[in-house]
Amino acid sequence: MEQTFYVDEFKRHSTFRRILRSQCKDSSRDNELSPLDIQTPAFFDNHYYINLLKGRGLLISDNVLVTEDHEGEIFKKVWEYAVDQDLFFLDFVESMLKMGNIKVLTD
């Protein structure tokens, strides 16, 4: 079964938008946690990328990166992660290993 995704120019899904607004009613809740995606909020998976392609990304910066990607490289990588969870996990592990090898500067 082939899935199709689309980028909805900066417009978030109305239900998701209402949920986010209910969690962020005022600035006194700045430390409030919010799930990255509404479909699988308790799991670490690739659904964030699926949602991002649908214009339902939690982070506005990610939505902008996808919609303003004129060369298509970011969109291509997001698409790859959306359709291949194993690839996402492999790349995530590799990234964490690289970050673990960064030498922290002190003083």
Side-chain angles (χ1 to χ4, degrees):
M1 182 175 115
E2 183 177 319
Q3 290 182 309
T4 57
F5 301 97
Y6 66 95
V7 175
D8 185 10
E9 294 286 326
F10 310 113
K11 296 176 187 156
R12 297 176 190 223
H13 186 263
S14 60
T15 303
F16 188 46
R17 184 173 48 241
R18 282 194 301 272
I19 290 168
L20 290 175
R21 282 188 180 150
S22 73
Q23 292 177 337
C24 305
K25 290 180 182 176
D26 58 55
S27 62
S28 66
R29 297 177 71 176
D30 284 348
N31 293 324
E32 192 78 22
L33 295 176
S34 180
L36 287 177
D37 77 87
I38 197 168
Q39 290 178 303
T40 57
F43 297 100
F44 181 67
D45 58 19
N46 68 333
H47 272 85
Y48 184 75
Y49 296 98
I50 294 168
N51 291 332
L52 191 55
L53 292 172
K54 295 178 180 179
R56 298 178 188 173
L58 174 66
L59 306 174
I60 292 174
S61 58
D62 289 346
N63 289 306
V64 172
L65 283 173
V66 170
T67 57
E68 295 293 319
D69 178 26
H70 302 294
E71 290 81 32
E73 291 301 314
I74 295 169
F75 185 86
K76 179 182 174 195
K77 185 54 76 176
V78 169
W79 177 269
E80 289 173 356
Y81 290 159
V83 298
D84 188 347
Q85 183 165 277
D86 291 337
L87 174 65
F88 164 66
F89 285 142
L90 286 171
D91 284 357
F92 181 82
V93 167
E94 185 178 323
S95 297
M96 291 298 106
L97 290 172
K98 284 181 181 179
M99 285 179 57
N101 289 323
I102 295 173
K103 304 291 184 220
V104 179
L105 299 177
T106 58
D107 295 335

